[in-house]
Amino acid sequence: MLNFAIVGCGHIAKKHAEAIERAEGAALIAVCDTIPENMEFYRNTYNARIYTDYTEMLANKDIDVINICTPSGFHASLAVQGAEAKKHIVVEKPIALLLKDTNAMIDACEQNGVKLAVVHPNRFRPAMKKLKEVIESGKLGKISHVNATVRWNRNQAYYDQAPWRGTKGLDGGVLMNQAIHNLDLMLWMMGGIHEVFSMSATRIRDIEAEDVCTGLVKFTSGALGVIETATTIYPKNFEESLAIFGEKGSIKIGGPTAVNVEHWVVEGTTELETEELMKSIKADPFGKPGHQCIIEDMVEAVHENREPIVTGEDGKKALELVLALYESSENNQPVKMQPQEVLN
């Protein structure tokens, strides 16, 4: 049994608490927040010990893993402090807002012999796992291009809930906050990126960061990609999708939250096989909750002394892509990613 603690008891913390409660081999024993009333739910529901002082909580030797659920701008300092206290770290997306902070987190965990996992739970959805299997099998042949789309609604009331929402220093815009899951999936499926070009704007929401962004990418494989993300869609979430097109097939996973198989044509796969695949995913589109998968994987990673499925380096790659898109948009120039691998 691994004992977990949560720091930051805002909205997303409840998902973590539920995941820990459901996960085999995990228990929630403590929470930390600067506002005492935010923690009453966890004390009453999970009998968790409450702390207003993070350093004091880290001194609790019974805690094995810290789940960081604070605003993104605080992730790095809390993760480094937690690693130095010899606690394993599960951090919400994005891993951090700056590369130097991300590197500090990864280094601190390596130097202190603890695990670092980043919450990108969409990798565990049944349709995405099937798509990953098909790509790795080579059945699609050479990939020509990919389309990643997030057409969501986050109204002004959402941003007005807390002063940090939509800020560049603590939160970020649609790319950093909402679309980073989709970007992680694209990287997971397609590998490294050679070059990006982007345009972004703050068109409708009264926030500091962007509420709409479009981008083009060239992967190190030579394949191309199109990114379209927005929180301006009226009146509610419309679409989140990932579509991949190859010489021997084309697949689109879509719907409001990218769990539905909307198109699946692969050379050598019969219509009956495709129907059965689509039927099985439709019966359970979300599968086991992604946060629960992240928690259970952390438990197994500690016991087996291996890296988590979604590592700090994975989180860093998604952040690097977001920052490159921001740089391109700001300068109105293409940005080459490092390292620049040879294209096929």
Side-chain angles (χ1 to χ4, degrees), residues 89-255:
I89 303 295
V90 174
V91 61
E92 260 297 335
K93 59 76 188 170
I95 185 171
L97 298 180
L98 300 172
L99 283 179
K100 67 175 184 178
D101 288 342
T102 301
N103 290 332
M105 294 167 68
I106 293 171
D107 291 345
C109 289
E110 289 179 351
Q111 291 167 10
N112 288 280
V114 296
K115 311 296 182 188
L116 173 61
V118 184
V119 179
H120 282 297
N122 297 4
R123 292 190 186 193
F124 298 91
R125 291 175 175 175
M128 291 301 174
K129 291 198 290 186
K130 287 293 184 182
L131 176 56
K132 175 71 169 174
E133 288 176 13
V134 170
I135 291 173
E136 290 191 333
S137 72
K139 290 180 180 178
L140 293 181
K142 181 180 285 188
I143 304 299
S144 64
H145 66 291
V146 180
N147 189 293
T149 302
V150 178
R151 296 167 175 162
W152 280 358
N153 174 276
R154 293 293 184 269
N155 61 23
Q156 192 61 45
Y158 165 85
Y159 292 107
D160 291 343
Q161 288 177 48
W164 58 269
R165 288 191 183 275
T167 63
K168 293 181 179 180
L170 293 179
D171 188 23
V174 61
L175 273 178
M176 189 72 81
N177 197 343
Q178 284 80 28
I180 198 165
H181 286 308
N182 214 253
L183 301 183
D184 171 71
L185 288 173
M186 189 174 67
L187 290 164
W188 187 47
M189 301 290 180
M190 295 295 299
I193 289 178
H194 176 75
E195 189 174 18
V196 307
F197 180 75
S198 174
M199 292 184 181
S200 64
T202 309
R203 291 290 297 162
I204 296 176
R205 307 303 175 217
D206 183 16
I207 58 175
E208 183 183 15
E210 82 287 349
D211 61 12
V212 59
C213 181
T214 58
L216 303 173
V217 303
K218 178 177 283 188
F219 295 92
T220 54
S221 66
L224 302 181
V226 178
I227 297 167
E228 179 199 336
T229 65
T231 53
T232 60
I233 307 306
Y234 179 85
K236 60 183 180 179
N237 288 2
F238 171 60
E239 179 183 14
E240 178 191 10
S241 64
L242 185 68
I244 296 186
F245 305 92
E247 61 180 329
K248 297 180 180 179
S250 55
I251 296 172
K252 180 183 179 183
I253 311 300

Side-chain angles (χ1 to χ4, degrees), residues 8-24:
C9 294
H11 170 74
I12 199 64
K14 288 189 177 181
K15 272 196 175 182
H16 283 250
E18 292 169 1
I20 294 166
E21 177 76 5
R22 293 173 178 167
E24 187 174 345

Side-chain angles (χ1 to χ4, degrees), residues 79-87 108-109 111-112 114:
V80 169
Q81 191 177 352
E84 290 174 347
K86 307 299 182 184
K87 312 297 185 186
C109 289
Q111 291 167 10
N112 288 280
V114 296

Side-chain angles (χ1 to χ4, degrees), residues 300-318:
E300 293 173 6
V302 171
H303 291 323
E304 298 170 8
N305 193 27
R306 60 163 174 82
E307 285 293 295
I309 290 175
V310 188
T311 65
E313 290 293 339
D314 291 328
K316 179 180 175 180
K317 289 174 184 176

